[in-house]
Amino acid sequence: MHHQPIDPRSTDARPAAGPAIDLDHISRLYRTFAEDLDRARERQRALLAPPASMKAQLDDIEAEITYLLLREARPETVVEIGTFHGWSTTWILRALRDNGTGHLHSYDIVDHVVREVPDALATGRWTFTQGDARKNAERIPATADFLFIDAAHSASFARWYVRELFPRLRPGIPVCVHDVFHGRRALPFTEGAVVLRWLAERENTCFTASRARAPEIHDRLKDVKRSLALGHPVRESTDNPMIFFTLR
Ligand SMILES: C[S@@+](CC[C@H](N)C(=O)[O-])C[C@H]1O[C@@H](n2cnc3c(N)ncnc32)[C@H](O)[C@@H]1O
């Protein structure tokens, strides 16, 4: 049974040296914030109800872990790269609203998100910048204390953020990166391969609830959710490739 974060260099589980984002920790967060998460899930579900035009990409378990890590970390400055229609954006803003503090800076080439995020979530806590995040790099606050990336899934985009963005940010902040574990391993020449190599070079580890990569962790979290009456899907999806780690 996998209880530890995953070493990106191998299929073996090994413990993180820093504060661990692992199965026990995430399970504890599910229990701690169960009531708020239940409310957040129902509000998110309402955003998808007809005649909504919101197209959601992030899977439930990925969105929930992001929400829980945000509730725990209580960041003042969150950076999100890749909003599309705002599914992740609304989850993040909901966590900041439930925290009663924090501002989200979002970046995307397309601006669908500005028509989708309800004013009640956006007002006073959201700044959207349209354009290629790489060209707006100087507008990404170096004070970010939580980073969420779900944008271009190319190796070149990942090389940009590991070389140009990560070094500007404070070590110790939680980071979420999508599209890594669609399968047991990240494919060569992809964003996933680049970020996993970067983590391995720093002897850092990551956590994933990806059904393809870590089926036992995935099933254990599903059990935790069911035990808290959080089992009913907000949206149907079986793909959950996101990784979570602490920046070093
Ligand atoms: C998979 S979608 C994001 C989905 C969203 N996070 C959600 O939960 O529904 C990826 C988004 O990244 C944006 N994107 C791609 N390359 C980008 C770049 N260089 N800078 C900013 N945004 C980019 C795309 O326009 C697209 O909207």
Side-chain angles (χ1 to χ4, degrees):
M1 193 161 18
H2 294 286
H3 275 282
Q4 307 291 352
I6 287 172
D7 176 354
R9 293 169 299 185
S10 72
T11 55
D12 298 335
R14 75 199 267 277
I21 301 173
D22 62 12
L23 176 62
D24 289 342
H25 187 63
I26 299 297
S27 304
R28 221 172 8 254
L29 292 178
Y30 264 105
R31 291 190 194 94
T32 304
F33 293 105
E35 231 174 86
D36 289 359
L37 180 58
D38 183 31
R39 206 166 32 239
R41 279 165 44 92
E42 293 319 310
R43 291 186 173 149
Q44 287 298 110
R45 196 190 305 283
L47 293 182
L48 297 179
S53 52
M54 167 84 79
K55 289 186 181 57
Q57 303 250 318
L58 211 61
D59 168 84
D60 284 0
I61 212 156
E62 298 170 326
E64 290 164 4
I65 294 173
T66 301
Y67 173 91
L68 293 170
L69 291 173
L70 283 161
R71 292 303 309 276
E72 181 196 34
R74 299 182 57 79
E76 279 309 318
T77 307
V78 181
V79 166
E80 176 195 33
I81 305 178
T83 59
F84 195 41
H85 280 242
W87 186 240
S88 51
T89 314
T90 47
W91 267 105
I92 295 169
L93 287 170
R94 217 170 275 294
L96 300 189
R97 191 184 61 179
D98 292 349
N99 280 346
T101 187
H103 195 97
L104 172 63
H105 299 261
S106 301
Y107 304 82
D108 201 305
I109 293 164
V110 297
D111 71 348
H112 309 308
V113 67
V114 297
R115 291 178 285 284
E116 300 284 358
V117 175
D119 287 346
L121 281 179
T123 304
R125 64 173 73 85
W126 188 46
T127 304
F128 174 69
T129 302
Q130 187 176 5
D132 186 327
R134 290 169 292 194
K135 299 212 169 93
N136 286 307
E138 75 291 347
R139 298 180 68 172
I140 298 177
T143 52
D145 39 13
F146 196 106
L147 176 63
F148 179 98
I149 301 178
D150 180 15
H153 301 307
S154 62
S156 63
F157 187 74
R159 278 196 293 272
W160 167 72
Y161 65 70
V162 302
R163 288 178 188 164
E164 306 290 330
L165 181 59
F166 285 0
R168 286 178 55 214
L169 305 179
R170 190 170 53 77
I173 70 170
V175 180
C176 318
V177 176
H178 203 246
D179 272 277
V180 175
F181 285 126
H182 289 288
R184 180 112 185 104
R185 292 173 187 281
L187 292 175
F189 313 114
T190 60
E191 175 183 23
V194 171
V195 73
L196 291 176
R197 193 176 332 115
W198 185 88
L199 285 165
E201 284 165 4
R202 277 147 194 83
E203 301 191 343
N204 200 352
T205 54
C206 61
F207 175 80
T208 185
S210 160
R211 201 173 65 138
R213 165 70 185 199
E216 290 166 13
I217 288 179
H218 184 85
D219 290 347
R220 288 283 304 279
L221 284 179
K222 282 277 182 74
D223 289 344
V224 170
K225 286 179 50 155
R226 270 191 293 273
S227 75
L228 297 166
L230 298 170
H232 179 48
V234 174
R235 60 180 292 263
E236 295 292 345
S237 157
T238 53
D239 199 25
N240 19 58
M242 185 159 250
I243 60 167
F244 304 85
F245 58 92
T246 305
L247 194 67
R248 282 205 199 142

